[in-house]
Amino acid sequence: MTSADLDAAALFTLDALANSVAGRNSAPGRILSQWFGANAASNAVPDAGRVAFLLGGLCHILETDDLHRESVVHPGCVVVPAAFALAEKHGLGGRDLLIAVLHGFEAAARVGMAVGPAHYRIWHNTATCGPFGAALAAASLLKLDDDAAMHALGNAGSQSSGLWQFLETGAMTKHLHAGHAAEAGVRAAELASLGFTGPARILEGEKGFFRATCPDADPDAVMRAPEAPWQLVRTSIKPWPSCRHTHPTIDAGEELRARMIADGVAFDAISEIEIGTYQAALDVCDRPVATSDYEAKFSLQHSIAAALTCPLVDFEAFGDAARTACGPLAARVKVKRAEPWAAAYPASWGGRVVVRLASGAEYAAERMHAKGDPEAPLSRDEMIAKARMLLAHGDAQCSDRLVDAILGMASGGVLPHLNLY
């Protein structure tokens, strides 16, 4: 473990905690905060599991949290809340937290890489693989030995759950997934520290996780390539507040917008837009009509319309006014499964956008990787700027001090106070 690893962990921790702060400024965020406040004793130290649930749920609301592509897991919204809640409870230092975050990302991503593509069609990988990451992060902070850590992982895995059914109505369930996964890991590790046992073969057993939920599991992926870099540094950071499956399209769309403006092309001259991408993007984000902010964030059609017509793809680009303005253009979008992006997924998340004009002219752009991927990373300054934007959205006090405190943990600084509960 190097200083560069700890610096990277600090940046990902900053991203996750800034997402938790920003998540307060949303309808589900206000409900989660209300629930937490109504069930918290005013004169008691908040329970670590409940804190992890709150931070995890808040972190996953705005669709701006990180993503590990090969596992299709958002590790930050599960691992960082669990680690932060326990580190705060036990008065641990920032370096301990960052080490735990590295281990937690590793567990969540490696289990996620093993579940197979069929799992993701029904199960939300962040919800099902996240508890393993939260449990290992918690085990690291609690200094559990190997046996106790195994019990924690076994019981965390037995709590794995989370279905995609919420997408039909845009229900708030996805945020519950992240919160539950974070809390499950904390509970499992705390109980393991007291001698509470769990199943050693929770993954590969005859009645275990893979057999129950993974028709095409690849169990060897859990331990494959142990010499590889930390999975945290293989994790992508989102520059735009929408489902990561929409990001290659947005990235290509922004390029096309600039080219069309430079050529003096009016956007009402567009007759058709074609998006070629991989199957998972179609499974989750083929949504021709978006009736809410949340549905728009899971719509390839709206996302390309916004990227082509909005000066900035920010929170407002998915709001009521933007959906109304983008609706006519979104209706001209066709989506399809296409190579080489279909075969390259999940190692690569990409796609191609073709804009066809009434004149017969075409504009095209493609991406093999989206902005924020390890192959096209955000700079340190861009990540800090994103965090400041999120903190401002959440009306955080002293945001510069908070940013400095979180990043300072890599050099031995103390945990910051979030003032969220």
Side-chain angles (χ1 to χ4, degrees), residues 83-416:
F84 186 88
L86 267 182
E88 184 179 56
K89 175 181 178 179
H90 294 281
L92 301 176
R95 191 174 188 276
D96 290 328
L97 183 145
L98 298 180
I99 291 171
V101 166
L102 283 164
H103 283 96
F105 270 61
E106 196 75 11
R110 284 184 169 274
V111 173
M113 289 189 287
V115 298
H119 179 84
Y120 185 67
R121 296 189 188 112
I122 295 175
W123 300 93
H124 181 200
N125 290 17
T126 300
T128 57
C129 307
F132 294 97
L136 195 59
S140 172
L141 287 165
L142 295 175
K143 310 297 182 187
L144 301 188
D145 61 25
D146 288 349
D147 283 343
M150 177 272 292
H151 292 308
L153 289 166
N155 282 329
S158 201
Q159 299 176 75
S160 295
S161 183
L163 301 164
W164 280 112
Q165 185 62 30
F166 67 86
L167 280 175
E168 278 192 11
T169 60
M172 298 177 182
T173 311
K174 193 166 188 270
H175 324 314
L176 176 69
H177 288 177
H180 169 73
E183 183 177 25
V186 170
R187 289 273 180 262
E190 287 185 326
L191 287 168
S193 73
L194 300 174
F196 199 86
T197 61
R201 301 181 69 240
I202 187 62
L203 289 174
E204 72 277 20
E206 287 300 309
K207 297 183 179 180
F209 179 65
F210 289 150
R211 178 62 64 90
T213 69
C214 308
D216 53 359
D218 178 16
D220 291 341
V222 176
M223 299 299 293
R224 188 174 293 141
E227 74 287 351
W230 290 99
Q231 294 302 320
L232 181 142
V233 303
R234 295 291 306 156
T235 302
S236 302
I237 289 287
K238 289 182 175 184
W240 299 293
S242 59
C243 177
R244 187 60 172 173
H245 292 308
T246 68
H247 284 203
T249 294
I250 293 173
D251 201 5
E254 289 203 331
E255 176 191 327
L256 294 175
R257 178 176 184 272
R259 287 165 52 189
M260 292 171 69
I261 289 174
D263 290 347
V265 176
F267 292 102
D268 58 9
I270 297 173
S271 61
E272 181 183 88
I273 301 169
E274 183 180 275
I275 298 172
T277 188
Y278 50 91
Q279 187 61 47
L282 302 180
D283 291 342
V284 177
C285 295
D286 180 5
R287 188 162 284 100
V289 178
T291 62
S292 68
D293 293 39
Y294 199 66
E295 287 187 2
K297 292 181 179 187
F298 285 84
S299 170
L300 287 165
Q301 291 86 344
H302 175 81
S303 293
I304 185 58
L308 287 170
T309 60
C310 295
L312 184 65
V313 182
D314 56 8
F315 294 119
E316 292 184 3
F318 300 90
D320 291 344
R323 292 196 309 277
T324 299
C326 291
L329 187 56
R332 291 175 236 161
V333 178
K334 296 181 179 179
V335 298
K336 67 176 185 178
R337 185 181 186 274
E339 299 295 351
W341 304 282
Y345 177 84
S348 171
W349 295 33
R352 186 170 192 258
V353 178
V354 180
V355 175
R356 298 187 176 97
L357 306 183
S359 66
E362 291 187 355
Y363 286 80
E366 60 186 52
R367 295 290 186 272
M368 187 55 72
H369 304 287
K371 185 175 181 179
D373 282 344
E375 297 82 2
L378 299 183
S379 69
R380 180 183 179 88
D381 287 346
E382 286 176 319
M383 290 185 69
I384 292 172
K386 176 195 170 185
R388 288 189 171 125
M389 179 270 293
L390 289 168
L391 292 170
H393 186 75
D395 196 25
Q397 303 298 312
C398 306
S399 59
D400 287 345
R401 188 181 307 167
L402 183 58
V403 170
D404 291 342
I406 294 172
L407 296 180
M409 293 190 298
S411 54
V414 300
L415 261 68

